[in-house]
Amino acid sequence: MAVPKLRENPSFDHMRIGEYGKRHTTCQFRGNVMSRLAVKVVAGAAALVVMGCGGALAFIYSGIYDVTATTPHDPLVGWAMHETYERSTDRAVAGLQAPENLETPEAVQAGARFYKDNCVVCHGAPGIAASPAAQGLNPEAPLLLKATRKNNPAKMFWVIKTGVRMTGMPAFGKSTPDETLWQVAAFLHKSRGISNADFAALSAR
Protein backbone atom coordinates (compact mmCIF):
# COMPACT_ATOMS: atom_id res chain seq x y z
CA MET A 1 0.00 0.00 0.00
CA ALA A 2 1.45 3.32 -0.99
CA VAL A 3 2.09 5.83 1.77
CA PRO A 4 0.46 9.14 0.98
CA LYS A 5 2.94 11.92 0.46
CA LEU A 6 2.66 14.77 2.95
CA ARG A 7 2.08 18.10 1.39
CA GLU A 8 4.65 20.71 2.07
CA ASN A 9 3.43 23.74 3.99
CA PRO A 10 5.28 26.81 2.76
CA SER A 11 3.51 29.04 5.25
CA PHE A 12 4.84 26.93 8.15
CA ASP A 13 8.41 27.23 6.87
CA HIS A 14 8.00 30.96 6.50
CA MET A 15 6.69 31.15 10.05
CA ARG A 16 9.72 29.29 11.41
CA ILE A 17 12.07 31.54 9.49
CA GLY A 18 10.23 34.56 10.79
CA GLU A 19 10.49 33.40 14.41
CA TYR A 20 14.21 32.72 13.98
CA GLY A 21 14.69 36.14 12.49
CA LYS A 22 12.91 37.77 15.42
CA ARG A 23 15.03 35.89 17.95
CA HIS A 24 18.20 36.71 16.05
CA THR A 25 17.25 40.37 15.87
CA THR A 26 16.42 40.46 19.60
CA CYS A 27 19.76 38.85 20.56
CA GLN A 28 21.62 41.21 18.27
CA PHE A 29 19.82 44.18 19.81
CA ARG A 30 20.65 43.03 23.34
CA GLY A 31 24.26 42.48 22.35
CA ASN A 32 24.47 45.98 20.91
CA VAL A 33 22.94 47.46 24.07
CA MET A 34 25.43 45.59 26.29
CA SER A 35 28.33 46.65 24.09
CA ARG A 36 27.28 50.30 24.25
CA LEU A 37 26.85 50.02 28.03
CA ALA A 38 30.31 48.47 28.43
CA VAL A 39 31.83 51.26 26.34
CA LYS A 40 30.11 53.87 28.50
CA VAL A 41 31.32 52.21 31.72
CA VAL A 42 34.91 52.01 30.48
CA ALA A 43 34.80 55.58 29.20
CA GLY A 44 33.37 56.79 32.52
CA ALA A 45 36.04 54.96 34.51
CA ALA A 46 38.77 56.37 32.26
CA ALA A 47 37.35 59.87 32.70
CA LEU A 48 37.37 59.47 36.49
CA VAL A 49 41.01 58.31 36.40
CA VAL A 50 42.01 61.26 34.23
CA MET A 51 40.12 63.68 36.47
CA GLY A 52 41.68 62.15 39.58
CA CYS A 53 45.19 62.37 38.16
CA GLY A 54 44.56 65.90 37.00
CA GLY A 55 43.25 66.89 40.41
CA ALA A 56 46.23 65.29 42.14
CA LEU A 57 48.70 67.09 39.86
CA ALA A 58 46.88 70.37 40.36
CA PHE A 59 47.04 69.87 44.14
CA ILE A 60 50.77 69.01 44.03
CA TYR A 61 51.76 71.92 41.82
CA SER A 62 49.55 74.42 43.63
CA GLY A 63 51.86 74.36 46.65
CA ILE A 64 48.94 74.73 49.06
CA TYR A 65 49.84 71.68 51.17
CA ASP A 66 51.86 72.70 54.23
CA VAL A 67 55.04 70.59 54.45
CA THR A 68 56.62 72.43 57.39
CA ALA A 69 57.66 70.33 60.38
CA THR A 70 56.08 72.87 62.74
CA THR A 71 52.57 72.05 61.51
CA PRO A 72 51.00 68.78 62.70
CA HIS A 73 49.80 66.33 60.10
CA ASP A 74 46.19 66.45 59.05
CA PRO A 75 44.46 63.66 61.06
CA LEU A 76 43.64 61.70 57.91
CA VAL A 77 47.21 61.97 56.61
CA GLY A 78 48.61 61.00 60.01
CA TRP A 79 46.31 58.00 60.22
CA ALA A 80 47.18 56.88 56.68
CA MET A 81 50.92 57.15 57.31
CA HIS A 82 50.73 55.28 60.62
CA GLU A 83 48.59 52.46 59.26
CA THR A 84 50.83 52.15 56.20
CA TYR A 85 53.86 51.87 58.48
CA GLU A 86 52.23 49.27 60.73
CA ARG A 87 51.01 47.06 57.87
CA SER A 88 54.29 47.35 55.97
CA THR A 89 56.47 46.38 58.94
CA ASP A 90 54.10 43.59 60.01
CA ARG A 91 54.37 42.08 56.54
CA ALA A 92 58.15 42.50 56.41
CA VAL A 93 58.76 40.65 59.69
CA ALA A 94 56.12 37.95 59.23
CA GLY A 95 58.75 35.23 58.70
CA LEU A 96 61.59 36.82 60.67
CA GLN A 97 62.79 34.80 63.66
CA ALA A 98 64.78 36.32 66.50
CA PRO A 99 67.98 34.48 67.47
CA GLU A 100 67.77 31.96 70.29
CA ASN A 101 68.69 33.19 73.77
CA LEU A 102 68.30 36.73 72.53
CA GLU A 103 67.90 38.47 75.88
CA THR A 104 71.05 37.36 77.67
CA PRO A 105 72.44 39.87 80.20
CA GLU A 106 75.43 40.50 77.94
CA ALA A 107 73.26 41.16 74.87
CA VAL A 108 70.90 43.46 76.77
CA GLN A 109 73.80 45.46 78.20
CA ALA A 110 75.45 45.79 74.78
CA GLY A 111 72.13 46.96 73.37
CA ALA A 112 71.75 49.52 76.17
CA ARG A 113 75.16 50.97 75.42
CA PHE A 114 74.44 51.23 71.71
CA TYR A 115 71.09 52.83 72.49
CA LYS A 116 72.70 55.42 74.73
CA ASP A 117 75.33 56.29 72.11
CA ASN A 118 73.07 56.37 69.05
CA CYS A 119 69.37 56.50 69.94
CA VAL A 120 68.91 58.68 73.01
CA VAL A 121 69.50 61.80 70.92
CA CYS A 122 66.07 61.32 69.29
CA HIS A 123 64.16 58.85 71.48
CA GLY A 124 65.35 59.92 74.91
CA ALA A 125 65.73 57.59 77.89
CA PRO A 126 64.77 57.53 81.57
CA GLY A 127 66.27 60.71 83.01
CA ILE A 128 67.52 61.89 79.60
CA ALA A 129 65.47 64.14 77.35
CA ALA A 130 65.69 64.01 73.58
CA SER A 131 67.96 66.60 71.99
CA PRO A 132 66.61 70.01 70.91
CA ALA A 133 66.97 68.97 67.26
CA ALA A 134 64.90 65.82 67.85
CA GLN A 135 62.16 67.87 69.47
CA GLY A 136 61.59 69.46 66.06
CA LEU A 137 60.89 66.15 64.33
CA ASN A 138 57.46 65.65 62.78
CA PRO A 139 56.29 63.02 63.47
CA GLU A 140 57.90 62.95 66.90
CA ALA A 141 60.29 60.11 67.65
CA PRO A 142 58.52 57.71 70.05
CA LEU A 143 59.75 57.13 73.60
CA LEU A 144 60.88 53.55 73.11
CA LEU A 145 61.37 52.64 76.78
CA LYS A 146 57.86 53.40 78.00
CA ALA A 147 56.40 50.55 80.03
CA THR A 148 53.29 50.42 77.83
CA ARG A 149 55.16 49.65 74.60
CA LYS A 150 55.28 46.16 73.07
CA ASN A 151 58.67 46.47 71.32
CA ASN A 152 58.40 43.20 69.43
CA PRO A 153 62.07 42.16 68.97
CA ALA A 154 61.74 41.20 65.30
CA LYS A 155 59.92 44.42 64.48
CA MET A 156 62.41 46.53 66.43
CA PHE A 157 65.31 44.84 64.66
CA TRP A 158 63.76 45.42 61.24
CA VAL A 159 62.95 49.08 61.84
CA ILE A 160 66.41 49.81 63.26
CA LYS A 161 68.07 47.96 60.38
CA THR A 162 66.05 49.43 57.49
CA GLY A 163 64.88 52.79 58.85
CA VAL A 164 61.56 54.47 58.06
CA ARG A 165 61.15 56.93 55.24
CA MET A 166 59.82 60.44 55.92
CA THR A 167 60.26 60.12 59.69
CA GLY A 168 63.93 60.89 60.32
CA MET A 169 64.60 57.27 61.35
CA PRO A 170 67.89 56.20 59.69
CA ALA A 171 68.78 52.72 58.45
CA PHE A 172 71.49 51.54 60.86
CA GLY A 173 71.87 48.35 58.83
CA LYS A 174 74.10 50.21 56.38
CA SER A 175 76.82 50.63 58.99
CA THR A 176 76.04 48.22 61.84
CA PRO A 177 76.10 44.39 61.86
CA ASP A 178 72.91 42.44 62.50
CA GLU A 179 74.26 41.00 65.74
CA THR A 180 74.49 44.48 67.26
CA LEU A 181 71.03 45.43 66.03
CA TRP A 182 69.54 42.30 67.60
CA GLN A 183 71.19 43.34 70.87
CA VAL A 184 69.44 46.70 70.66
CA ALA A 185 66.14 44.92 69.97
CA ALA A 186 66.76 42.69 73.00
CA PHE A 187 67.39 45.72 75.19
CA LEU A 188 64.27 47.54 73.97
CA HIS A 189 62.08 44.51 74.66
CA LYS A 190 63.63 43.54 77.99
CA SER A 191 63.96 47.02 79.47
CA ARG A 192 60.51 48.53 78.95
CA GLY A 193 59.70 50.71 81.95
CA ILE A 194 63.31 50.69 83.18
CA SER A 195 64.10 53.22 85.91
CA ASN A 196 66.54 56.11 85.61
CA ALA A 197 69.06 54.44 87.92
CA ASP A 198 68.86 51.05 86.23
CA PHE A 199 69.31 52.55 82.77
CA ALA A 200 72.31 54.56 83.93
CA ALA A 201 73.90 51.45 85.43
CA LEU A 202 73.08 49.20 82.46
CA SER A 203 74.40 51.60 79.82
CA ALA A 204 77.54 52.64 81.72
CA ARG A 205 80.92 51.64 80.32
Side-chain angles (χ1 to χ4, degrees), residues 109-191:
Q109 184 172 48
R113 290 171 175 171
F114 183 95
Y115 182 89
K116 182 179 180 180
D117 293 341
N118 298 277
C119 308
V120 166
V121 63
C122 289
H123 295 281
I128 306 175
S131 69
Q135 293 173 19
L137 289 174
N138 184 6
E140 296 179 355
L143 301 176
L144 296 178
L145 293 174
K146 290 173 61 176
T148 55
R149 287 187 59 87
K150 295 180 180 180
N151 288 354
N152 175 277
K155 197 167 188 175
M156 289 294 96
F157 166 81
W158 183 257
V159 170
I160 297 167
K161 179 181 174 72
T162 62
V164 182
R165 271 184 276 177
M166 296 185 290
T167 65
M169 176 64 192
F172 282 96
K174 290 189 174 183
S175 58
T176 309
D178 284 1
E179 181 182 3
T180 300
L181 301 183
W182 277 116
Q183 291 170 345
V184 181
F187 162 71
L188 290 174
H189 184 257
K190 181 74 172 180
S191 303

